[in-house]
Amino acid sequence: MSAVLTLLGALDDARLTFRTRAALDRHQDHLAHDHLRWVAAHSPAVAARFRAAGLPLSRWRELPPTDKAAMLATFDTLNTVGVTLEGALAVGRQAERTRDFTPTLATPAGPVTVGLSTGTSGTQGVFLVSRAEQARWAGTVLRHLLPGGLWGLLRPQRVAFFLRADSPLYRSVRRRQLEFRFFDLLRPLPELAAEAQAYAPTLIVGPPGVLRALHRTGVQLRARVIGVAEVLDPDDEAALRGWGDVVQVYQATEGLLALPCPHGSLHLNEAHVHFDLEPLGDGLHRPVITDLRRRAQPFIRHRLDDALRLHPDPCPCGQAARRVHSIAGRQDDALHLPGAAGESVTVWPDFLRGALAAVPDLREYRAEQTGPHHITLHLDPHTPDTQTHARNAVRDALHRSHADPDQLILDTRPLDPTPPGTKRRRVTRTWRPT
């Protein structure tokens, strides 16, 4: 019952829309004061970080950032619910194998759900979420995403989650006007399409690559579409508009990071998360986050691997929370290529995604840097025309990014199908400098 009350409170919490930066900063300071005192008292790893830095809690913004590797190394003393990394991995992997996501870990603080990330950055992440935290997540998301906003609850809403893993939350908070259904991505696409057609969802949530493949089956749906887990590229957005309004959510193992406003802009979730943005050059920033609500697994000054491009102008919606222009990609997927003067040039994934999205008749692709002077383009369809257009588009994009395409080998190959449940990464770098 407490989880349901938390969800309903989050659904109705319109106070967390701030119109001035000063009001938003005061709100974050208030949350941080109480949250950090609680976390430092219950998480030995967080307390040890402050002691090692010689900082009082009030100077938390100066705490040296941590990352995923350090989080996993200190997992047993970082979390506040008494869960070991070994125990969390066992529960998470068992759920992945059996496709039964109902089991939770019993802890002194109550039942805790275990989730695993896809491990696209090379290391599989583990996250713990309490029942109250799950409920707050659901309420916050639905408040922003339901068709018609909160007024959407005046009529029945059917939410279809096309995800790699289910969550017990969807069953625990089901109510007369709000129904959830999990569509397992490991099932065959024709089965998913037939079930979705019969279910007739009003809200569809899933990775853009999966939803795009579902759209190609010809299934007829009328619903708001929410892209999660992957970057929503313009070509995906244009195709999925055949079902309805299309927006995206920026979410990671580390939490719910950005949500759309009524104007469709993606705003950082600054009512719940503090963001420090480290400049990377070319107008890009890497987030260092402090989740001001999450207690089961605290994230305090945690550096992400993502590169964000912020929008320079205020949003017409009037929110003070900063808005994201685009998610350029993961830092470890940025290409390192030779420049005209022999220097190394960084080319972010969004440059190549934008170029290849404009190739005529190209349905899907993957660009992969496999060596210091080698890029392989995996194309669907792999026809003479798409090969020529794709090579030309990539060469132009590289030239605009100050790389020297004349020093590169551009191979093309047919695109192999992505295994079910695998996160789509359209631009990757498998080569690592020695």
Side-chain angles (χ1 to χ4, degrees), residues 24 27 71 119 199 204 239 281 325 381 385 387 406-407 410 417:
L24 180 53
H27 166 75
M71 183 268 289
Y199 184 55
I204 302 172
H325 179 275
D385 281 348
Q387 292 178 62
D406 293 333
Q407 297 187 50
L410 290 178

Side-chain angles (χ1 to χ4, degrees), residues 367-387:
E368 180 181 14
Q369 182 181 0
T370 55
H373 298 267
H374 202 136
I375 294 176
T376 301
L377 303 177
H378 303 260
L379 308 175
D380 175 28
H382 187 250
T383 65
D385 281 348
T386 58
Q387 292 178 62

Side-chain angles (χ1 to χ4, degrees), residues 27-37 60-61 292:
H27 166 75
Q28 289 194 348
D29 288 341
H30 175 74
L31 287 181
H33 179 267
D34 295 336
H35 180 69
L36 290 171
R37 289 177 62 190
W60 59 274
R61 291 178 178 84
L292 301 172

Side-chain angles (χ1 to χ4, degrees), residues 189 210-219 238-243:
L189 196 61
V210 172
L211 300 183
R212 183 78 180 275
L214 191 69
H215 185 270
R216 291 194 187 105
T217 68
V219 61
L240 295 173
R241 281 200 200 104
W243 287 342

Side-chain angles (χ1 to χ4, degrees), residues 162 181-184 187 190-201:
F162 289 85
R181 183 173 298 186
F182 169 60
F183 291 76
D184 193 334
R187 292 171 52 198
E191 287 185 15
L192 294 178
E195 185 177 341
Q197 186 84 61
Y199 184 55

Side-chain angles (χ1 to χ4, degrees), residues 379-401:
L379 308 175
D380 175 28
H382 187 250
T383 65
D385 281 348
T386 58
Q387 292 178 62
T388 299
H389 287 303
R391 283 196 190 97
N392 290 340
V394 168
R395 288 178 64 87
D396 289 345
L398 295 178
H399 182 73
R400 291 195 302 273
S401 303

